[in-house]
Amino acid sequence: EISRESGIWDIPSNDKTYTFQFATNIPCIEQPTVTYEGKVYNTVQIFSQCWLSENLNVGTMINGDLDQTDNGIIEKYCINNEEDSCSKYGGLYQWNEMMEYNQVGDTNCICPPGWHVPTDIEWQILEGVTDSQYGIADSVWTSNLMYRGFDQGLNLKSIAGWESNGNGLDLYGFKALGGGHRFPNGTFSQDYTLVYGSYWSSSKDAWPYNYPLFRRFASFSDGLHRSHNNGQYGYSVRCIKNQ
């Protein structure tokens, strides 16, 4: 007999229906694809969570030496200022742009309607249900240790495209990519595009920093790095469906 966690975090005050499944690497039951701004995204159900299985690529490209601004237009960065990079790895977004300049993480932000940028807790759940050693409630997930966890990164990374034999197993169909990032000074991690894949959450850390939290996959690690910064970096975005 195999016992697995459902990935359901909250205790609702009223009756509520959840969908989850223990089969792996299959689309979300009720929504296998999502069409958003002219692009079709595939979905993947991972226990109680329904995720896009591709990085978000929405908006108008601007050069990396410019900051994204609150101008009513979704702006994105592409590695080396090449649109083809966004086609491969998705767009890169500063935190405020991703949040549509809304400091509360309970809106869809730049994700499709009915979807949202994952919270830090939703990332913790994903890590807990895909790691073979640490469960959802383990304290390791709230730590900022470098690449903590045992093998959730390995299990979530794509099976191709990572540098130096750093490909993943993609056991769950999440297909995390090494898409690099944009630095606050306007340059890109062009030498590390296939080494790092950094993903925003919609959450901020506790006082005194109040900085946005993110996750970072790496070609050289089977774990995931959880940390924070001031939001001026350009990182990838992966959307999760509202429950």
Side-chain angles (χ1 to χ4, degrees):
E1 180 179 345
I2 299 175
S3 177
R4 301 300 297 270
E5 295 176 288
S6 70
I8 296 175
W9 180 270
D10 65 335
I11 301 176
S13 57
N14 300 311
D15 289 346
K16 189 173 183 180
T17 299
Y18 288 89
T19 298
F20 65 92
Q21 57 197 30
F22 297 109
T24 58
N25 210 346
I26 60 176
C28 300
I29 296 172
E30 298 177 351
Q31 196 169 6
T33 62
V34 176
T35 301
Y36 180 50
E37 297 294 328
K39 178 176 171 59
V40 178
Y41 296 87
N42 295 301
T43 70
V44 62
Q45 185 82 29
I46 304 178
F47 297 89
S48 66
Q49 297 177 325
C50 176
W51 291 82
L52 295 186
S53 63
E54 293 136 345
N55 293 349
L56 193 66
N57 181 20
V58 64
T60 300
M61 189 189 80
I62 64 171
N63 283 347
D65 59 353
L66 301 174
D67 279 329
Q68 295 168 349
T69 58
D70 186 8
N71 58 6
I73 300 171
I74 298 176
E75 297 169 327
K76 66 181 179 182
Y77 301 119
C78 301
I79 292 290
N80 299 332
N81 299 314
E82 297 174 353
E83 184 74 45
D84 183 60
S85 294
C86 281
S87 299
K88 292 179 180 177
Y89 311 115
L92 302 174
Y93 304 89
Q94 293 179 312
W95 193 81
N96 281 327
E97 182 75 11
M98 175 197 72
M99 297 292 289
E100 293 189 325
Y101 303 88
N102 182 344
Q103 298 300 303
V104 180
D106 58 359
T107 63
N108 64 294
C109 303
I110 63 171
C111 289
W115 295 70
H116 63 276
V117 177
T119 64
D120 183 57
I121 288 178
E122 287 172 324
W123 273 109
Q124 290 179 41
I125 292 171
L126 177 67
E127 292 180 282
V129 298
T130 58
D131 193 276
S132 65
Q133 181 168 325
Y134 301 104
I136 293 173
D138 198 287
S139 61
V140 69
W141 305 128
T142 58
S143 73
N144 288 343
L145 298 173
M146 291 293 287
Y147 300 99
R148 80 277 187 278
F150 181 69
D151 60 1
Q152 86 282 28
L154 177 69
N155 295 333
L156 292 170
K157 284 191 295 185
S158 60
I159 61 174
W162 290 85
E163 191 173 276
S164 304
N165 298 316
N167 293 327
L169 299 177
D170 193 29
L171 297 182
Y172 298 88
F174 190 80
K175 297 179 175 59
L177 298 174
H181 50 266
R182 180 258 190 194
F183 291 106
N185 66 3
T187 61
F188 294 100
S189 59
Q190 60 187 64
D191 293 335
Y192 302 99
T193 300
L194 304 183
V195 176
Y196 296 111
S198 301
Y199 291 81
W200 286 121
S201 81
S202 63
S203 304
K204 291 187 174 183
D205 64 2
W207 181 90
Y209 299 107
N210 199 35
Y211 281 171
L213 288 157
F214 66 89
R215 295 300 191 280
R216 177 168 292 153
F217 295 83
S219 62
F220 53 80
S221 176
D222 292 344
L224 273 178
H225 181 40
R226 173 186 184 262
S227 191
H228 59 253
N229 62 45
N230 63 10
Q232 295 303 303
Y233 285 80
Y235 287 162
S236 301
V237 174
R238 190 65 71 91
C239 300
I240 185 171
K241 189 176 181 181
N242 299 351
Q243 287 189 335

